[in-house]
Amino acid sequence: PSLCLGQVLDLHLFRYCACGCLTCPHEGRRGAPRRQATFEGYGRTRRAFSGPDALGLNEALPDQVTSWLETTPAAQRPAFVSVGIGAEPLPGFEETTRVLVDSLRPLLEGGVGVSLRTRRNVPDDVMSLLADHAPNVRVSVPLPLLEAPALQTWEPGTGSPTQRLFTVQRLRAARIPVTLMLKPLIPFVNDDRGHLERLVGAVADTGVKQVSAAFLRMRPVVRKRLDAQAPVSTRLLYGAYLDRHPDQD
C-alpha cells in the first residue's frame, strides 16, 4: 500500500492493468515496459496478460496490509482506502480474487473503509465480503457508453454495459452503496444530450440515486494512445480542448 491522492491510501494490487482503455491516465505502474507507450503496444501487452503473474500481482499485499494495521495506531489510519484507481482490481483470475479478499478483510474488520472502483463483474467472494461490511464500503462503476461495440473499442478489456448495469443491481440488492460514474465524457463521442438521456435513463432503471460525471482529461499518455488508434477524428477531438479567450473568434 502507498499514500496517494492526498492522504488516501491506495492498495497496489497489480503492477499493470489488463483493461487497455484508450482514455486511461495511467501508462503503467513503475517500471512499465516501453511497449505500453502507444495504445497498440498497450493492447498487445493486455492480450499477453494470460495470468496474474503477467499483471504483476502483489501476492504479499495481505501480509503488507496486516503489518500496516499492526504498526499504525487507529487514530492515524485513513477512514477509507482506495482500490482500483490505477489498475482494474477484478481481472477475473481466481488467485487475484483471493489476494484481494485477503487484503480487504483485515482492513474492514479493523474499521478501515474500502472504496472500490471496477469495470468488471464482482465475484461472489468479494460481493459477500463487501456485503458483510456494507456501511464501510463504497463501490463506483464507470459507464461512459451504452453501446457495447463502442464501449469495447474505447475500453477493450472491460465488462459490457449490460454486465456493468447488472453489477450495479447486484450491489444494490446486497445493500452495498454504489455510485455509477458517467465518465469519461468524450467530446463528440458520448457527450450529446440524446446519449446522456439514454444513459441516465438506464442508470435510473437500476434504482441508483447518485451518479457522477467528468470529462476526459487530455493527459500526454492519453493523447499518445489516441494518436495511435482513436476511433474518431483526433483533430475534432483535440479541438475541444483548445484554450479559448474572449478576444478570439
Side-chain angles (χ1 to χ4, degrees), residues 185-197:
L185 295 178
I186 307 168
F188 308 108
V189 175
N190 64 345
D191 66 333
D192 63 280
R193 181 169 182 170
H195 176 266
L196 290 176
E197 287 179 346

Side-chain angles (χ1 to χ4, degrees), residues 1-5 8-12 29 81-86:
S2 64
L3 285 174
C4 71
L5 304 177
V8 177
L9 190 71
D10 181 39
L11 294 188
H12 287 183
R29 296 293 192 187
V81 299
S82 66
V83 187
I85 299 299

Side-chain angles (χ1 to χ4, degrees), residues 131-208:
D132 288 343
H133 301 274
N136 282 337
V137 171
R138 303 290 184 272
V139 179
S140 57
V141 179
L143 180 60
L145 290 154
L146 270 182
E147 297 76 20
L151 185 60
Q152 285 299 294
T153 296
W154 287 94
E155 300 183 355
T158 64
S160 69
T162 301
Q163 289 173 332
R164 298 192 203 186
L165 291 171
F166 181 61
T167 292
V168 170
Q169 290 177 321
R170 291 181 64 215
L171 290 164
R172 281 183 47 78
R175 300 187 180 278
I176 299 170
V178 56
T179 298
L180 213 147
M181 307 169 69
L182 311 184
K183 64 177 294 186
L185 295 178
I186 307 168
F188 308 108
V189 175
N190 64 345
D191 66 333
D192 63 280
R193 181 169 182 170
H195 176 266
L196 290 176
E197 287 179 346
R198 293 193 303 275
L199 187 55
V200 171
V203 172
D205 288 343
T206 68
V208 168

Side-chain angles (χ1 to χ4, degrees), residues 14-212:
F14 300 108
R15 191 173 186 182
Y16 309 118
C17 181
C19 291
C21 301
L22 271 71
T23 57
C24 179
H26 305 281
E27 190 164 0
R29 296 293 192 187
R30 293 177 295 275
R34 288 184 178 272
R35 63 179 179 274
Q36 286 192 338
T38 67
F39 174 73
E40 287 185 340
Y42 195 97
R44 286 195 297 272
T45 304
R46 180 184 62 79
R47 286 191 292 272
F49 287 151
S50 56
D53 292 341
L55 286 169
L57 173 64
N58 181 7
E59 297 184 65
L61 186 59
D63 291 337
Q64 293 170 348
V65 168
T66 299
S67 176
W68 176 77
L69 288 170
E70 291 174 346
T71 58
T72 305
Q76 297 180 16
R77 299 172 186 170
F80 278 81
V81 299
S82 66
V83 187
I85 299 299
E88 169 58 51
L90 300 170
F93 300 111
E94 183 176 346
E95 183 178 353
T96 62
T97 299
R98 176 188 59 78
V99 173
L100 179 63
V101 169
D102 289 347
S103 300
L104 297 186
R105 179 175 286 112
L107 287 168
L108 291 167
E109 292 178 348
V112 179
V114 169
S115 176
L116 183 144
R117 180 184 300 178
T118 182
R119 292 171 171 83
R120 302 289 298 272
N121 294 327
V122 179
D124 291 343
D125 289 352
V126 178
M127 187 72 73
S128 177
L129 175 65
L130 299 182
D132 288 343
H133 301 274
N136 282 337
V137 171
R138 303 290 184 272
V139 179
S140 57
V141 179
L143 180 60
L145 290 154
L146 270 182
E147 297 76 20
L151 185 60
Q152 285 299 294
T153 296
W154 287 94
E155 300 183 355
T158 64
S160 69
T162 301
Q163 289 173 332
R164 298 192 203 186
L165 291 171
F166 181 61
T167 292
V168 170
Q169 290 177 321
R170 291 181 64 215
L171 290 164
R172 281 183 47 78
R175 300 187 180 278
I176 299 170
V178 56
T179 298
L180 213 147
M181 307 169 69
L182 311 184
K183 64 177 294 186
L185 295 178
I186 307 168
F188 308 108
V189 175
N190 64 345
D191 66 333
D192 63 280
R193 181 169 182 170
H195 176 266
L196 290 176
E197 287 179 346
R198 293 193 303 275
L199 187 55
V200 171
V203 172
D205 288 343
T206 68
V208 168
K209 303 300 183 183
Q210 183 177 2
V211 299
S212 63

